[in-house]
Amino acid sequence: MFVAASSRCFSDKSFSEACSLISDLEYDKIEIWMSEGGSHLKTSVVAKEPEQFASQFREMSRLTPVALHLQEDVDVRTLAGVARVAKQLRVTQITVPASPLGTPFNSEIDRLRAFLKVVNPDGVRLSLKTQTGMLTEDAHTAVELCQAVPGLGLTLDPSYYICGPHRGVSFDQVFPYVYHVHLRDSTPEQLQVQIGLGEIDYSRMIAMLRRNDYQRALSVDLIYSPKEEMNRPLEMRKLRMLLDTLL
């Protein structure tokens, strides 16, 4: 396992500035976050010119890209463009959101099967983010989706199981299906708190991942808040150092 930082930690900055700030904080690996909202990095723009984006990234930063994260759902054509970006950057992990709660299970299976047909030829793994308000907010349903769509994995974000509507319920069943991990600290009342003040048991989580032969990224994924602007670099350093110690 190794530690990376998501560019979403600096979602209020340009992507170029986010890369520079992450490097300054002594991270050497980055997860590239894309969203149609704001001006950080739009999925549609990246997917339209995958070779151009890959070339620009190499010129922009010496950070090693380890994963791509799409904030919003995309169509198959856009995902195909993102998969080409992954291939250009030698990235083997793409995270997409699950469909919202209430989506028919069979419809979600059809969507995900179509997605896998697009990314698998490029040697890319696809995973669903565990998140409140989506079909993956319940660990049992998240696992059922992976079992129904062979080859699909999960991007584990334990904050939503600690703070979400299923707080207090074990989510150990997801670990065999974890392809990627997003981390911050959380309490049952707050999705994000200062590192060390929350209830994320990083040591146990890493032990569970090791038990399931997980050898990939632990991505620091802080959610930007203007109120915490001054603390952000410190929090990112603290979490990096904590994870490095545990690894």
Side-chain angles (χ1 to χ4, degrees), residues 170-184:
S170 172
F171 54 92
D172 285 358
Q173 64 262 46
V174 307
F175 282 98
Y177 302 93
V178 173
Y179 281 4
H180 191 60
V181 180
H182 286 161
L183 292 175
R184 67 192 71 80

Side-chain angles (χ1 to χ4, degrees), residues 5-12 15 18-19 22 30-34 40-41 220-221:
S6 171
S7 66
R8 184 164 85 140
C9 295
F10 296 102
S11 59
D12 56 315
F15 178 66
C19 289
I22 288 170
I30 185 172
E31 176 176 12
I32 299 174
W33 175 77
M34 308 177 203
H40 180 79
L41 193 63
V220 174
D221 185 41

Side-chain angles (χ1 to χ4, degrees), residues 123-190:
V124 176
R125 294 186 300 264
L126 186 75
S127 60
L128 295 177
K129 184 176 175 73
T130 60
Q131 189 172 1
T132 300
M134 304 300 184
L135 290 175
T136 51
E137 79 164 25
D138 168 45
H140 179 71
T141 303
V143 168
E144 285 188 329
L145 286 170
C146 293
Q147 292 172 339
V149 186
L152 178 71
L154 297 173
T155 292
L156 173 62
D157 190 329
S159 293
Y160 290 100
Y161 289 140
I162 296 293
C163 185
H166 297 276
R167 69 190 70 175
V169 178
S170 172
F171 54 92
D172 285 358
Q173 64 262 46
V174 307
F175 282 98
Y177 302 93
V178 173
Y179 281 4
H180 191 60
V181 180
H182 286 161
L183 292 175
R184 67 192 71 80
D185 212 349
S186 306
T187 67
E189 294 76 32
Q190 288 183 270

